[in-house]
Amino acid sequence: MGFQTPITSRRAILKGLGGLVLAAYLPSVARAQEAGTKPLPPLVPNAFVRIAPDDTVTILSKHIEFGQGPWTGLATLVAEELDADWAQIRVEHAPSDVKLYANLAMGAQLTGGSTAIANSYMQMRRTGAAARAMLVAAAAKQWKVPASEIKVEKGVISHASGRTSRFGALAEAAAHMPVPTDVVLKDPANFRLIGTDLPKPDTFVKSHGQALYTLDLRDPDMVIAMVARPNRFGAKATAVDDSQARKIKGYLSSAIIPQGVVVFAKSTYPAMKAREALKITWDESAAHKKGTKAIVADYMEQSRQPGAVAATRGNAMAKIAAGGTQIVEQTYVFPYLAHAPMETLDAVVRFDGQKAACHFGSQGPTIDQGAIATALGIKPENVSIDVALAGGSFGRRATASGDFAAEAATCAKAYGKNVPVKLVWTREDDMRGGFYRPLYVHRMRGMVAPDGTISAWHHTIVGQSIMGGTPFEALMVKNGIDDTSVEGASDMPYRVADFQCDLHSTKQGVPVLWWRSVGHTHTGFATETFVDMLLEKAGKDPIDGRLALLDASAREAGVLKAVKELAGWKGRKAGDKGYGVAVHKSFNTYVAQIAEVMRDENGQPKVTHVWCAVDCGVAVNPNVIRAQMEGGIGYGLGHALYASLDLDESGQVVQTNFDKYRSLRIGEMPVVDVVIVKSAVAPTGVGEPGVPPIGPAVSNAWRALTGTAVTHLPFVPGETA
Amino acid sequence: MRISVNGQAHDLDVDPETPLLWALRDEIGLTGTKFGCGMAQCGACMVHVDGMPIRSCVTPVSALEGRDIVTIEGISGKEADAVRQAWVALDVSQCGYCQSGQIMSAVALLSVEPKPDDKAINDGMAGNICRCATYPKIRAAIHAAAKSLEG
Ligand code: FES
Ligand code: FES
């Protein structure tokens, strides 16, 4: 077959303001919630909906599809109000244009923080309603009947006179109708698509090897770029000898760039071989040379002192200092983690000296436009990005610096010819490349009264700030507190009179990043295992004990009750099985899980069954929600059980591929049952919130079974530093 | 060097050590077979050689002259049809990047084990990582495909 993908041609207009705009906005995920109440942007149906003469309706998704289902979700919202037939719906990515395609929760074109549905809920429904109104206006004009008498149902426009039309026949006329300034939305009671299981529009191509990812983009003139990187973060290449590489057929050239040494070749395998053949001199004077063990020891020491206060009420410190028999103290260690999406990082950039035409799985086109522009020394409006499907991300494709986008641009500039340059990362590049979930140490101390009430709770967190040192620092770090380090801990839901959560933000030469559910990856684990231990000490049932510490109306209580019923909860242990529960809110979605855990033949935990209750407001696509709960559980469980990204004592990454960075496999995936709690609240995201509860639920089950609390992750350390 | 892919002969002018994966993707233009690890760990690069599933990222093209290579683009037969149908019906894919490899392994499994139980699925699919953890749906789809093959 050998299709070719035009790299330069597709985009006609680019009105985007580019990357610098972003700094004016807070990328706070909490703001997704407010999006519904803020004034909505003007309706531009043409930017989001294209109706073709053949009746197909193409929705342009402003959010990248890398598995979490925004293509399905956004299309459902439009199709609902448009009264389209689901079979006529197609979806494509919108190109980079922040004016049209900004995430309304962030002000930049960016996918993240589980905001896709939350920020699009009203916008996409209004878009669908506006397009419907324009079709109806066109029909009214053509048929000379009042618009109010026209009905639209499942892609058919009709009038009592017997006239009917499908969308395609009226599309051209509708495009010339005025765009309504306001529209009436459906009463949710009349939803026909929202709340039902709809087939996903990206399923067919993904089941036939036809989905196009960045790695699949081809062009006769394309050059492959691969970067030789230093063994330690912060080292720089100072000299390169390519005399051996020159002997490799397909090798073109190489160049020193800030990231290392880039190799150019006609295809991928010669690029790999040539990269291996380079002799590079590195300057390691500024390199990071500290290992995981030393970092953990430092953090342990720091955790003995309170840090900057993130939240406090009463006087937890004094209460605990006064002592008592009911004090529980526990430390936790969370390793660095790589995202390791299945598709490694890649990007295609073509630079003609003035403009850059790019095509890749861009999670944050606004940031990437800015980063590419800076790397090339041009204006962001001269950078266009076509967004490709991506083979996962889990956060990795969005960095504050647009790291790999800028790297691809740097490579294209270094090559210096007006051809598409495709930067390809190998798995080793991915795992050695930094931008990890930070390593954290937590120390928790608490007091519980015999009646199960918690009288004091002191939580100290030590670790790198994700926002620190990025353009977001000034906006996101307040009084020394990066909210992404303490979210889920400083606002933990249980009633405690004397409470404090504090934070030591550390500095290391290891780049860190948000990782599927960000701070909740560790705060959820610490708070939910700790409350479980306190309740055990008071002789309370883990579910009833939690419920007693929550307001009856709390949505945490709702999902706890739902999961209790789903699992037929009978207590913490039955024969050779342990049961553990955890509940956690993230990104305004509430998830409770119960894990059933056994000992396998090696004495290691085997998770056999997980029950999950989720409250994400209106359930737009129940099948996507269930799949995201399953996926979040699998992703969270695999890392909690097996994954750790360690640095040896000289600062080199130990786990560089899936042989040592162990991934969950099919035989390790539990049976998962999901119940979606009915809700009329505006929808919130599901891409991340399935992750936080699984680790603590398993830890609590393991403690029920064995008496041992697992608090240093992963459960099953493989080869460590 | 000449190799046969999906019933078509291709002459390749590459280093004989070139892994089949990169010959397929870069030389022949069949990009449905994916790169995930390059070291036989993830199964994203799974193809069939003489009907057996192999990892194309560690198989040099020099070992494949005269062999019958089939990729996701060319896989056919009743098992392949049943598997693809089940994959679509159950919406197995999330990011989708691993799924070519999953499907190639599932087809190979059903060819030798028409009615696999959960244990056989665990064994037959152990070489395929899905970072999105679509495993429950992969399992359900294999059972569904096996069922459809019975009737
Ligand atoms: S790419 Fe071949 S097994 Fe991973
Ligand atoms: S569907 Fe994403 S890796 Fe399997």
Side-chain angles (χ1 to χ4, degrees), chain A residues 1-3 65-68 198-200 202-204 206-209 211-213 215-216 218 224 249 267-269 272-273 338-344 390-392 394 422 424-428 516 623 627-628 630-631 634-635 639 657-659 661-667 669-670 672, chain B residues 8 13-15 17-19 22 24-44 55 72-73 84-85 87-100 102-103 121-123 125-139 142:
Chain A
M1 8 203 275
F3 52 81
E65 179 59 80
F66 37 47
Q68 278 60 53
L198 299 167
K200 295 198 287 188
D202 47 334
T203 283
F204 185 88
K206 288 178 175 176
S207 309
H208 290 76
L212 274 189
Y213 302 86
L215 196 70
D216 306 332
R218 307 180 69 233
I224 303 294
K249 199 169 129 201
S267 53
T268 316
Y269 187 63
M272 289 177 175
K273 296 299 286 181
H339 306 71
M342 205 71 218
E343 180 188 15
T344 50
F394 313 116
K422 177 158 75 179
V424 176
W425 285 40
T426 58
R427 182 59 62 196
E428 287 76 11
R516 198 175 188 177
N623 52 337
Q628 283 312 299
E630 290 173 0
Y635 195 74
H639 290 88
N657 207 317
F658 291 124
D659 54 339
Y661 194 75
R662 184 172 160 194
S663 187
L664 192 83
R665 291 179 189 266
I666 191 167
M669 181 77 197
V672 177
Chain B
Q8 270 190 20
D13 177 22
V14 296
D15 175 351
E17 285 306 301
T18 302
W22 298 112
L24 289 172
R25 295 182 54 85
D26 288 353
E27 307 299 323
I28 302 175
L30 292 171
T31 55
T33 306
K34 303 302 188 202
F35 166 75
C37 69
M39 61 177 303
Q41 290 291 320
C42 76
R55 294 175 175 86
I72 184 74
E73 291 91 347
R84 275 191 299 233
Q85 260 166 34
W87 244 251
V88 171
L90 292 176
D91 269 330
V92 170
S93 297
Q94 289 190 23
C95 81
Y97 192 83
C98 73
Q99 299 295 346
S100 296
Q102 305 281 0
I103 287 169
I121 291 175
N122 289 348
D123 295 345
M125 303 299 292
N128 289 82
I129 291 174
C130 175
R131 294 291 288 169
C132 301
T134 60
Y135 299 124
K137 288 195 185 230
I138 289 173
R139 182 185 303 285
I142 293 173

